[in-house]
Amino acid sequence: MTRVLVVEDDPQLVRALVINMRARRYGVDAAPDGTTALRLAAAHHPDVVMLDLGLPDMDGVDVIRALRGWTRVPILVLSARQGSGEKVAALDAGADDYVTKPFSMDELMARLRAAVRRTEEAPPSPGTIRVETDHFTVDLLAKKATRDGRDIRLTPTEWHLLEILVTNPGRLITQTRLLEEVWGVSNSNKTNYLRVYMAQLRRKLERDPSHPRHLITEPGMGYRFEP
């Protein structure tokens, strides 16, 4: 049974989440604050954490950082904070997804299923040398990409972006992280760079660049590679 740790101080929301998840045969633990959440996570090792950022004893971002000190468990943030800065801070701290309150329960359950799927699918290990999709193949050792059996010419910048994304399958990589890793800290606000280069990658790799299947944009937050 998949176990979910819900970290939320609103009793009504906790009750709704617990009812919906148990109806879908998830095991659920609930914590009303960050201290309890960290204790339960260490004791029970949940498969997914659903985390509110506005906790009574500490900021949810600090809970994310504490969890990331010892576990890669998927963290799904539920928050009323809608500013892009808040979202980026949570994602940069190690959250995997961000859902803004109020939210549809159906959408939230879909996000939960996606998080569970990503934990069940083996991600590329540090020794992985090939990543394959239905449309293209990336050879990390040879540093080249092929599509329909033909080599695709990529610039060094395009390759660097692609390499970061395909080695983190299913994980949302923030704009800030991509910009800092590829162009340096001084260019961390040049989001137009990302738009241009991601469009180029899609034209070269995606079957339908205007409706990408593998190189996905999360508006205002970053990009995700879906195998």
Side-chain angles (χ1 to χ4, degrees), residues 10 146 151 165 200 206 213 215:
D10 180 342
T146 57
D151 287 350
L165 290 167
Q200 291 173 185
E206 293 276 7
R213 160 69 180 82
L215 302 174

Side-chain angles (χ1 to χ4, degrees), residues 5 18 35 50 54 62 65 72 85 93 101 103 118 121 127 129 140 142-143 161-162 181 198 201 218 223:
L5 173 59
V18 169
T35 303
M50 283 189 178
D62 293 326
R65 293 193 184 105
R72 300 309 304 165
K101 298 177 181 177
F103 49 78
R118 289 195 291 272
E121 296 166 355
I129 59 173
L140 295 167
K143 291 189 178 295
L161 274 174
L162 182 63
E181 289 199 26
M198 289 301 298
L201 278 175
E218 294 286 354
Y223 298 86

Side-chain angles (χ1 to χ4, degrees), residues 82-127:
Q82 299 185 18
S84 61
E86 302 277 8
K87 295 177 181 179
V88 168
L91 293 164
D92 279 343
D96 295 271
D97 208 344
Y98 195 109
V99 179
T100 303
K101 298 177 181 177
F103 49 78
S104 153
M105 192 62 71
D106 286 343
E107 178 190 355
L108 180 62
M109 293 299 109
R111 301 277 190 117
L112 174 58
R113 289 193 296 273
V116 172
R117 267 198 314 274
R118 289 195 291 272
T119 63
E120 293 172 345
E121 296 166 355
S125 66

Side-chain angles (χ1 to χ4, degrees), residues 5-212:
L5 173 59
V6 175
V7 189
E8 169 63 62
D9 64 340
D10 180 342
Q12 289 186 328
L13 179 55
V14 170
R15 183 172 181 274
L17 290 171
V18 169
I19 290 171
N20 275 273
M21 284 188 282
R22 286 182 176 162
R24 293 165 172 82
R25 303 191 183 282
Y26 292 102
V28 189
D29 294 308
D33 54 54
T35 303
T36 306
L38 294 174
R39 177 174 56 78
L40 288 176
H44 296 167
H45 295 275
D47 298 295
V48 180
V49 175
M50 283 189 178
L51 172 70
D52 182 25
L53 295 183
L55 299 172
D57 60 338
M58 66 174 73
D59 193 277
V61 173
D62 293 326
V63 176
I64 296 170
R65 293 193 184 105
L67 289 170
R68 284 291 172 255
W70 62 274
T71 180
R72 300 309 304 165
V73 62
I75 300 173
L76 177 58
V77 169
L78 314 177
S79 180
R81 302 177 186 177
Q82 299 185 18
S84 61
E86 302 277 8
K87 295 177 181 179
V88 168
L91 293 164
D92 279 343
D96 295 271
D97 208 344
Y98 195 109
V99 179
T100 303
K101 298 177 181 177
F103 49 78
S104 153
M105 192 62 71
D106 286 343
E107 178 190 355
L108 180 62
M109 293 299 109
R111 301 277 190 117
L112 174 58
R113 289 193 296 273
V116 172
R117 267 198 314 274
R118 289 195 291 272
T119 63
E120 293 172 345
E121 296 166 355
S125 66
T128 296
I129 59 173
R130 285 172 66 87
V131 176
E132 297 187 8
T133 74
D134 294 340
H135 301 159
F136 58 88
T137 299
V138 180
D139 187 324
L140 295 167
L141 188 61
K143 291 189 178 295
K144 71 175 185 179
T146 57
R147 178 181 169 189
D148 299 326
R150 299 193 305 272
D151 287 350
I152 302 298
R153 186 186 296 270
L154 298 178
T155 68
T157 299
E158 290 169 348
W159 174 261
H160 197 173
L161 274 174
L162 182 63
E163 186 177 38
I164 293 169
L165 290 167
V166 300
T167 53
N168 292 276
R171 184 173 176 80
L172 176 59
I173 309 298
T174 63
Q175 294 176 343
T176 301
R177 176 180 167 188
L178 288 170
L179 287 164
E180 289 183 354
E181 289 199 26
V182 178
W183 285 277
V185 175
S186 62
N187 291 300
S188 61
N189 63 339
K190 303 292 182 62
T191 55
N192 58 307
Y193 291 5
L194 281 176
R195 286 194 295 273
V196 169
Y197 278 89
M198 289 301 298
Q200 291 173 185
L201 278 175
R202 287 176 178 138
R203 280 196 296 271
K204 292 180 178 183
L205 299 174
E206 293 276 7
R207 192 156 293 168
D208 182 357
S210 61
H211 299 90

